[in-house]
Amino acid sequence: MKKWECTVCGYIHEGDEPPAECPICGAGKEYFIEIVEKQEESLTDVTKVEGAASASSAPAQAGKPTGIAALVLKHHLHPISVHTPNGVLPLAVLFLFLAIAFGLAGFETAAFFNLVFVLLTMPVVIFTGVLEWRNRYRGVMTRIFGIKIGASIVVSSTLLAMVIWRLVDPGVASSGSRWVYFLVGVVMVGAVGLAGHMGGKLVFDTRDR
Ligand SMILES: [Zn+2]
């Protein structure tokens, strides 16, 4: 049985042909290369060769990233920069719920400061995410990356809307539109969860199969 590696996400496929589409990242079969293991030598000695004729049109392997991109990838700055605001954001929405449901003004203030903190981290999250996508995943635009990019646009815009809304109307959490305001927060947390889920799929589903 032949082995094929997805050059975008690293998923290993076993079969005579590469799959039509990578089950993890959705890259087409032209992104797969055949892995040839030399049986007579140690198992760790694996040579990768260009695959079948169908794979000859595969885009050239991206060069090693340099400068800031290399630094971001080497130190895993995207997962690091994403996890802190990801933890704070649901907490902010929970605080907002407590403030609205029970009239607790202190929780509303805390929620607002948390949202501002998350907003300040967003440029780093997006910048490192784009660098990682373009270098580690070769900038391939498949469904999974489309979902991640779409989710981050939803998060950024809902977050910005909530912060601006609160600045314009400091009493929004006790106004007539308080539940609409809260709902925007729920959509935001949903989008964060989706982006995180897709990130986890890319990082962990390609391993230990
Ligand atoms: Zn893949």
Side-chain angles (χ1 to χ4, degrees):
M1 187 93 63
K2 290 178 178 176
K3 279 190 171 183
W4 305 83
E5 180 181 341
C6 173
T7 56
V8 176
C9 73
Y11 168 75
I12 306 289
H13 171 83
E14 286 187 27
D16 292 333
E17 291 277 319
E21 191 175 90
C22 174
I24 303 296
C25 73
K29 72 175 179 186
E30 68 273 19
Y31 285 98
F32 278 81
I33 52 169
E34 188 182 351
I35 302 174
V36 177
E37 295 181 22
K38 292 178 186 168
Q39 296 295 336
E40 67 274 18
E41 289 169 37
S42 79
L43 278 172
T44 52
D45 186 12
V46 172
T47 329
K48 292 169 185 174
V49 296
E50 277 299 324
S54 63
S56 63
S57 60
Q61 189 84 25
K64 280 253 176 250
T66 50
I68 296 176
L71 214 64
V72 165
L73 266 62
K74 180 166 181 274
H75 299 290
H76 306 289
L77 295 186
H78 182 60
I80 290 173
S81 67
V82 99
H83 281 118
T84 308
N86 267 9
V88 173
L89 217 140
L91 198 68
V93 177
L94 176 67
F95 281 0
L96 192 62
F97 174 76
L98 294 174
I100 294 175
F102 305 106
L104 304 168
F107 278 104
E108 196 282 324
T109 311
F112 175 63
F113 285 135
N114 281 346
L115 290 180
V116 171
F117 166 75
V118 176
L119 186 63
L120 293 175
T121 65
M122 281 309 281
V124 183
V125 169
I126 292 171
F127 176 71
T128 56
V130 168
L131 274 184
E132 183 131 342
W133 170 53
R134 289 176 60 169
N135 291 281
R136 198 186 298 279
Y137 301 105
R138 309 175 62 188
V140 173
M141 179 50 90
T142 54
R143 203 175 68 94
I144 194 164
F145 297 106
I147 292 173
K148 272 181 85 69
I149 292 166
S152 69
I153 291 170
V154 171
V155 173
S156 309
S157 46
T158 48
L159 179 60
L160 191 64
M162 286 185 84
V163 170
I164 291 174
W165 194 346
R166 170 60 163 70
L167 288 172
V168 171
D169 178 11
V172 60
S174 50
S175 74
S177 6
R178 61 191 184 279
W179 289 112
V180 179
Y181 183 66
F182 175 71
L183 199 67
V184 177
V186 172
V187 170
M188 181 174 65
V189 170
V192 166
L194 187 62
H197 174 73
M198 292 301 168
K201 194 172 155 70
L202 272 176
V203 174
F204 297 108
D205 285 7
T206 51
R207 304 179 189 166
D208 302 319
R209 286 258 183 155

